[in-house]
Amino acid sequence: MSNVVIVGAQWGDEGKGKVVDLFTSWADVVVRYQGGANAGHTLVVGGVKTVLHLVPSGVLHPGKKCIIGNGVVVDPEALMDEIDVLKSRGLLSDPTQLVVSENAHVILPYHKRIDAGREKKEAIGTTGRGIGPCYEDKVARRGIRVRDLGKPESLRTKLTARLDEANAQIASLGGEKLELKPLLDWALQLGRRMQPYVGDGSETLSHEVARGRAVLFEGAQGTLLDIDHGTYPYVTSSNTVAGNAVVGAGLGPTAIDEVIGITKAYTTRVGNGPLPTELNDATGEKLRTVGAEFGATTGRPRRCGWLDALVLRYAARVNGLSGLAITKLDVLTGFDTILVAVAYKLPDGKTVSEFPSDPELLNDAQPVYEELPGWKEPLGDLREYSELPANAQRYVERVEQLVGVETIAVSVGAERAQTIVRKNPFRHV
Ligand code: GDP
C-alpha cells in the first residue's frame, strides 16, 4: 500500500485539481494538511456544478474517507455551506466519512476584517479569506481551534481575551469592530453544526494507515509559495512543501511513500514577486491566451513564461519529489521552438544552475535558456505516451533529465480523460 503526497512544484495553479481527481480515484483516504478554503475543485453532480474549497473531492465517492487535518485553517461557515450543498445532493449521508481535526485552527470574522482592511490599505493580493491572520494567531498562541467551538465557557474566555486587540487592529485599518455576544453565539452555533464531523484527525488517519488503506495527501498552492522555502515575502502563510503533509495531518515522516510534484509545461505566477522566466511579450501573451491563464476567482491575468528547470530542481529538493506530473502540455503545441531555463546569469556576472536561496537575487537574474524543437500536432486526443509527437516526448524527457525525476503523468487537456498515465504511484492498484 502506499501513501502519496501531491504538491504544486511552482507558484500554484499548476492544475492540481485535475491530478488530485485522478489520484483520488486510486486512493481510499484523502487528506488536506495546510492552507484554507483555497483548493477549489469543481464538481458536477446531476448536471449541477459545485465548487469545493475545503472538503476534499473524495467526498463524492461514498467509500472514501476525507480528513481536514490539524494544519488547515477552517472557516466554519464556508465548511458548513459546503457540507450543506453536499448533503442536498445526497452526498455525505454518513457523517463519519468526513473528519475535521479538532486541533485545526478556526478562521473567525475578525481575521477576515483584518485581511480585508490590510488589502484595502495596500493591495498585497491576498484572497481576503482571513487565512493569513488566522495563521498569525496560531503562531502567536492565541488562536481558536475547532475543539474550542464545542466548549462555551472556555470559548467565551478566549474570545474575551482576544477581541479587544483584534478590534483595535480592525479599527486601525478602518474596519468595523465586532461585539462579543454575537460573535460567541455565531461560533457556538457553527460549533454545534460541525460537531458530527469533528474528531481526532491524527488518530483516524493512523488507524486507516494501519488498515493498509491508500492515503492521498492533497497540497494546496505551490512550493515557491511556501513560508520557509518560497520566494519570501511573496509567499503564503503556511508550509506548502511535502514535509508538512505529515505535520499538518498528525503522522510521522515514515508514513509517506511517494511525493508527486505537479508542474505546468511552462510557468505562471499570480501577483507580485520574482519570476525569472516571465515573458512580457507576444510569446507570454500567447501562453496566457492559449492556456487561459486568468485567475479562477479574480479573473486577473497570470504572469507567464517558459519552464524553469531551476525552480523544478529546487522543488524536487525541498519536497523530495519521487515523480512529476506535467500539465498543459497541449498549450505548447504550435511553438516553433520551446525554451527551458537551465541556469541564471546573476548581476555579479556569475552563472548559477541551482535556484538561489536569496530571493532578492531573482529580481535581476537573467535566465539562460536551452532551445528545444516544437511540434504542430494538437495533443488533446492522445492517450498513450508513445502517441505524442517525437518532439513532445523529447521535451518531457529533457525536463525529466534536468530535474532528475521521472514523469508519471502528462496532461493534454482540461477534461478528466485527457491524461496520459505512465505510472500509478499507488502501487497496490
Ligand atoms: P490548480 O489550482 O492547481 O488546480 O490550478 P488551476 O485552478 O489553475 O487549474 C488549472 C486550469 O487548467 C483548470 O481550468 C483546468 O481545467 C485546466 N487544465 C488542467 N490541466 C490542463 C491541461 O492539461 N490542458 C489544458 N489546456 N487545461 C488544463
Side-chain angles (χ1 to χ4, degrees):
M1 301 302 151
S2 38
N3 302 323
V4 178
V5 183
I6 285 187
V7 288
Q10 300 169 306
W11 279 275
D13 310 314
E14 295 94 347
K16 286 183 298 299
K18 198 187 134 170
V19 181
V20 166
D21 265 358
L22 172 69
F23 282 32
T24 293
S25 68
W26 294 326
D28 303 309
V29 183
V30 187
V31 189
R32 283 282 315 271
Y33 57 89
Q34 49 76 224
N38 43 16
H41 298 293
T42 304
L43 322 171
V44 182
V45 186
V48 189
K49 204 163 126 177
T50 310
V51 182
L52 292 180
H53 295 291
L54 204 52
V55 179
S57 54
V59 75
L60 289 186
H61 313 267
K64 298 194 198 272
K65 197 142 199 132
C66 295
I67 299 180
I68 296 179
N70 54 275
V72 175
V73 287
V74 176
D75 177 338
E77 206 157 37
L79 174 67
M80 287 316 302
D81 285 349
E82 286 187 15
I83 289 176
D84 287 347
V85 170
L86 288 166
K87 287 175 74 173
S88 75
R89 309 265 157 86
L91 296 159
L92 201 57
S93 51
D94 171 11
T96 65
Q97 193 193 352
L98 173 68
V99 176
V100 182
S101 169
E102 50 206 1
N103 285 344
H105 280 251
V106 175
I107 299 176
L108 291 154
Y110 49 75
H111 295 131
K112 290 188 183 171
R113 289 196 188 178
I114 292 167
D115 221 358
R118 284 179 185 162
E119 192 63 36
K120 223 191 241 166
K121 220 167 172 178
E122 185 195 354
I124 41 183
T126 80
T127 47
R129 294 189 178 123
I131 294 172
C134 182
Y135 275 117
E136 287 169 31
D137 277 4
K138 171 178 177 171
V139 176
R141 293 169 295 188
R142 60 184 182 208
I144 304 294
R145 304 203 280 182
V146 166
R147 61 168 65 257
D148 295 315
L149 302 192
K151 298 178 185 175
E153 277 323 300
S154 82
L155 183 62
R156 175 189 293 277
T157 309
K158 286 177 183 173
L159 283 179
T160 307
R162 176 72 184 110
L163 196 57
D164 279 352
E165 217 181 317
N167 270 336
Q169 222 175 336
I170 292 168
S172 76
L173 294 163
E176 204 180 319
K177 291 186 185 182
L178 290 155
E179 303 278 342
L180 178 65
K181 173 84 170 68
L183 176 63
L184 188 61
D185 290 346
W186 174 88
L188 289 172
Q189 175 259 120
L190 282 160
R192 280 191 295 275
R193 288 173 58 203
M194 274 167 70
Q195 201 273 330
Y197 310 98
V198 175
D200 184 336
S202 164
E203 204 278 330
T204 307
L205 190 53
S206 73
H207 179 68
E208 296 290 335
V209 171
R211 284 173 64 203
R213 303 242 288 165
V215 183
L216 171 65
F217 295 83
E218 175 193 341
Q221 299 136 328
T223 301
L224 275 296
L225 296 174
D226 182 278
I227 184 87
D228 283 280
H229 303 291
T231 45
Y232 193 88
Y234 303 101
V235 293
T236 192
S237 18
S238 60
N239 285 110
T240 59
V241 293
N244 195 34
V246 284
V247 178
L251 295 180
T254 47
I256 303 300
D257 299 291
E258 302 276 350
V259 180
I260 308 302
I262 318 295
T263 176
K264 279 178 189 163
Y266 48 96
T267 307
T268 66
R269 174 166 200 167
V270 172
N272 297 330
L275 183 60
T277 61
E278 180 165 18
L279 295 170
N280 290 309
D281 59 8
T283 306
E285 196 50 51
K286 185 171 170 187
L287 287 172
R288 185 157 37 245
T289 312
V290 180
E293 297 297 350
F294 298 90
T297 40
T298 57
R300 261 200 308 178
R302 293 177 180 152
R303 299 159 66 196
C304 297
W306 294 118
L307 193 70
D308 189 331
L310 289 82
V311 164
L312 295 185
R313 211 161 35 234
Y314 178 71
R317 184 198 328 150
V318 297
N319 290 295
L321 297 185
S322 58
L324 275 179
I326 301 179
T327 63
K328 294 198 156 184
L329 189 64
D330 54 301
V331 174
L332 294 185
T333 288
F335 285 94
D336 291 331
T337 51
I338 297 169
L339 273 55
V340 181
V342 293
Y344 299 148
K345 200 160 190 288
L346 300 178
D348 65 3
K350 274 196 198 124
T351 300
V352 294
S353 57
E354 287 300 316
F355 193 72
S357 72
D358 177 358
E360 282 175 21
L361 288 177
L362 296 173
N363 294 328
D364 301 304
Q366 289 302 319
V368 178
Y369 287 112
E370 187 173 299
E371 249 184 60
L372 291 143
W375 59 89
K376 299 273 177 253
E377 303 85 338
L379 310 183
D381 292 333
L382 308 182
R383 297 293 174 270
E384 295 293 334
Y385 185 76
S386 58
E387 294 169 358
L388 286 174
N391 285 344
Q393 291 188 31
R394 189 190 295 190
Y395 182 71
V396 169
E397 283 150 31
R398 184 64 185 135
V399 172
E400 287 184 320
Q401 224 172 36
L402 287 166
V403 185
V405 177
E406 66 174 338
T407 304
I408 64 151
V410 178
S411 172
V412 292
E415 296 297 317
R416 179 182 275 209
Q418 291 177 301
T419 311
I420 295 169
V421 179
R422 301 177 78 192
K423 182 179 164 187
N424 180 334
F426 293 89
R427 289 186 293 254
H428 68 295
V429 179

